[in-house]
Amino acid sequence: MLIDGQPVAGDGRLSVINPATEQVIGTAPDASPDDLDRAVAAARAAFPGWAATPIEERRKALHAMADVIVAHKDELKSLLTSEQGKPHADAEGEIIGGAYWLRGTATLDLPITVQEDADGRTSETRHVPIGVVGAIAPWNFPIILAMFKIGPALLAGNTMVLKPSPFTPLTTLRVGQLVADILPPGVLNIVTGGDALGPWLTSHPGIDKVSFTGSTATGKRVMQSAASSLKRVTLELGGNDAAIVLPDVDVDAVAQDLFWAAFANSGQICIATKRMYVHEDIYDRVRDAIVAYARTVKVGDGSEQGTQLGPLNNRQQYERVLALIEDAKAQGHVFLMGGDVPETPGYFVPITILDNPPEDSRIVQEEQFGPILPLLRFRDIDDAVRRANASEYGLGGSVWASDEDKASEIARQIASGTVWINETRHLSPTTAFGGMKQSGLGVEGGVEGLLDYTNTQTLFRRGKQVSTA
Ligand code: NAD
């Protein structure tokens, strides 16, 4: 682990499994409560100095971290594939994307608002760091989602204790080793451990804010546990994104994009398309084009040349997805492809596409988080919007059409934090991203995301302006 700038082995060990082979590929420390206490104490001790460091220096630190990550991208890519399962090309994209995120975040500024009232009294509202951030990342994008937190938290002047998922701790620990010399000791600490460590972190009295990315069910537990000391929380949670495909779309031009909207990272993306509503005039053509393309996509071990989709990341998720497939079979839903899971080693699930299952079926209503797509027919656009919005989730969504004005009009009616037109999944470090309803609380990215790592402070002064520093 990385605690107070030093490598710490800890007493216990966690086994890490390659999801393509189910073989143990290494071990990571299993932190004790004492290890966590040391990490939090180091972050608290480092906080005043880091908060007082000029923001220009903090920007430079983010760039230096990005440089070292890019310089080690080949090593990091292989390690990420071996513990996460995603193909090498996607793993490299995630590593480079993580560096890009740090650089993009480094361009942001903390706004200061100066006002003068009728009596000549001036006020200055500024944004100060909160303190120690406890950050918890999931296993689907361990590096880039950690950078979503590290970048803005550190730029704003906070220090951090980061906990990666027990399924994917190794690449994050390696990044910690690589950046250890760039930051003052204690500014970034990384602890790894099993199921007990998350709740210890979220209830720790030395943590001032929790930034959590994971499932909605766990997010609720995080918020409950943070309430004990009124910690600030940012929650990036689950989704059940709908795509709405309008009848004027150029089917051949968008078929591949529609496929990848649902199946990239084997469907293990919070903002994957998990339900696709297709207008009845083009339903058959869209269905046939997606299935024809899906048949050309290679599923396999992410370390093998040519693999486009890897296995699911872990047994727990694999069993959840298998249970959804079994339910769809038991209900007699129509499978256009997939559904038969091989009995070979590895958490492999074939690309599975369903033909217009009932709206109230589990495969439509639940977040699958696997390579499954229900195609759903609609006739009336208002009905499609209503069905898209009839969900406890509100993370993302997309509208596909040749008439982009019409698509924008529909996009504005979708109750989700992000809506894309004729694409999906694009995010930017300078743009806010977050969920409505039970998909989350607060945002990451953009100035809005940076402000979520600050407390707001106003200075009033009778007479002249206070300062603009
Ligand atoms: P998860 O909720 O099972 O676990 C996330 C992390 O929380 C892990 O590190 C885990 O160890 C830790 N944890 C578990 N119980 C905890 C507790 N009681 N207190 C504190 N921490 C605890 O999620 P997952 O299965 O790793 O990730 C998949 C989910 O994440 C999906 O629902 C997906 O949609 C969501 N997700 C959301 C976003 C987003 O930005 N909105 C991004 C990626 C993934």
Side-chain angles (χ1 to χ4, degrees), residues 136-140 145 163-166 194-195 198-199 202 212-216 218-219 221-222 236-239 269-270 274 316-317 367 369 395 433 439 444:
I136 299 180
W139 44 259
N140 61 338
L145 294 177
K163 186 195 93 64
S165 164
D195 291 345
T202 55
F212 171 83
T213 301
S215 64
T216 294
T218 310
R221 288 195 281 277
V222 167
E236 295 289 357
L237 308 178
I269 307 188
C270 53
K274 290 165 186 149
Q316 194 179 304
Q317 187 59 24
E367 176 182 42
F369 225 62
L395 191 60
F433 166 68
S439 286
E444 294 190 307

Side-chain angles (χ1 to χ4, degrees), residues 51-132:
T53 300
I55 193 165
E56 296 312 323
E57 294 300 313
R58 301 198 298 251
R59 282 190 221 287
K60 280 186 202 153
L62 297 193
H63 280 290
M65 288 166 70
D67 289 345
V68 80
I69 289 169
V70 171
H72 291 81
K73 70 175 165 50
D74 290 336
E75 171 203 342
L76 292 169
K77 160 188 90 179
S78 301
L79 189 56
L80 184 56
T81 293
S82 69
E83 66 175 347
Q84 206 289 327
K86 65 183 65 186
H88 271 164
D90 292 352
E92 181 166 334
E94 181 173 347
I95 302 297
I96 302 277
Y100 169 79
W101 211 268
L102 292 176
R103 293 191 206 288
T105 305
T107 65
L108 298 171
D109 269 313
L110 284 167
I112 297 176
T113 312
V114 177
Q115 303 205 65
E116 184 174 335
D117 69 17
D119 299 330
R121 182 186 289 104
T122 53
S123 67
E124 174 193 303
T125 299
R126 63 196 198 105
H127 302 277
V128 298
I130 298 171
V132 178

Side-chain angles (χ1 to χ4, degrees), residues 64-364:
M65 288 166 70
D67 289 345
V68 80
I69 289 169
V70 171
H72 291 81
K73 70 175 165 50
D74 290 336
E75 171 203 342
L76 292 169
K77 160 188 90 179
S78 301
L79 189 56
L80 184 56
T81 293
S82 69
E83 66 175 347
Q84 206 289 327
K86 65 183 65 186
H88 271 164
D90 292 352
E92 181 166 334
E94 181 173 347
I95 302 297
I96 302 277
Y100 169 79
W101 211 268
L102 292 176
R103 293 191 206 288
T105 305
T107 65
L108 298 171
D109 269 313
L110 284 167
I112 297 176
T113 312
V114 177
Q115 303 205 65
E116 184 174 335
D117 69 17
D119 299 330
R121 182 186 289 104
T122 53
S123 67
E124 174 193 303
T125 299
R126 63 196 198 105
H127 302 277
V128 298
I130 298 171
V132 178
V133 176
I136 299 180
W139 44 259
N140 61 338
F141 285 87
I143 296 304
I144 201 156
L145 294 177
M147 298 306 155
F148 274 34
K149 303 180 187 311
I150 295 172
L154 267 50
L155 182 69
N158 303 280
T159 57
M160 178 175 278
V161 178
L162 169 68
K163 186 195 93 64
S165 164
F167 296 118
T168 53
L170 299 177
T171 316
T172 310
L173 288 171
R174 179 67 184 129
V175 168
Q177 284 180 336
L178 294 171
V179 304
D181 292 342
I182 295 170
L183 298 164
V187 169
L188 175 65
N189 305 274
I190 303 175
V191 292
T192 53
D195 291 345
L197 184 58
W200 292 340
L201 186 71
T202 55
S203 60
H204 199 291
I207 299 276
D208 303 295
K209 172 180 170 115
V210 178
S211 178
F212 171 83
T213 301
S215 64
T216 294
T218 310
K220 290 177 185 176
R221 288 195 281 277
V222 167
M223 194 163 169
Q224 246 165 0
S225 135
S228 60
S229 60
L230 222 61
K231 294 177 176 59
R232 279 72 183 126
V233 288
T234 297
L235 303 173
E236 295 289 357
L237 308 178
N240 192 7
D241 291 13
I244 298 179
V245 188
L246 299 184
D248 73 342
V249 87
D250 180 344
V251 174
D252 294 332
V254 300
Q256 289 190 22
D257 288 346
L258 290 175
F259 173 86
W260 289 111
F263 290 100
N265 211 39
S266 297
Q268 303 164 109
I269 307 188
C270 53
I271 46 175
T273 296
K274 290 165 186 149
R275 310 174 273 161
M276 192 172 288
Y277 296 94
V278 184
H279 192 272
E280 61 179 10
D281 288 357
I282 50 162
Y283 183 90
D284 292 359
R285 284 172 55 220
V286 169
R287 177 195 63 200
D288 294 349
I290 291 179
V291 169
Y293 179 68
R295 293 196 191 286
T296 70
V297 172
K298 186 176 173 229
V299 180
D301 185 326
S303 65
E304 284 168 13
Q305 188 81 21
T307 295
Q308 290 169 284
L309 291 177
L312 293 186
N313 173 255
N314 57 74
R315 175 157 290 280
Q316 194 179 304
Q317 187 59 24
Y318 177 67
E319 286 176 356
R320 227 190 77 73
V321 168
L322 294 199
L324 276 176
I325 290 177
E326 284 314 311
D327 177 74
K329 283 185 181 168
Q331 302 297 323
H333 303 334
V334 179
F335 285 70
L336 294 164
M337 65 185 286
D340 293 321
V341 177
E343 292 198 3
T344 48
Y347 307 133
F348 290 101
V349 174
I351 296 167
T352 298
I353 304 178
L354 285 106
D355 194 6
N356 204 30
E359 189 68 21
D360 63 358
S361 55
R362 285 186 61 196
I363 211 97
V364 176

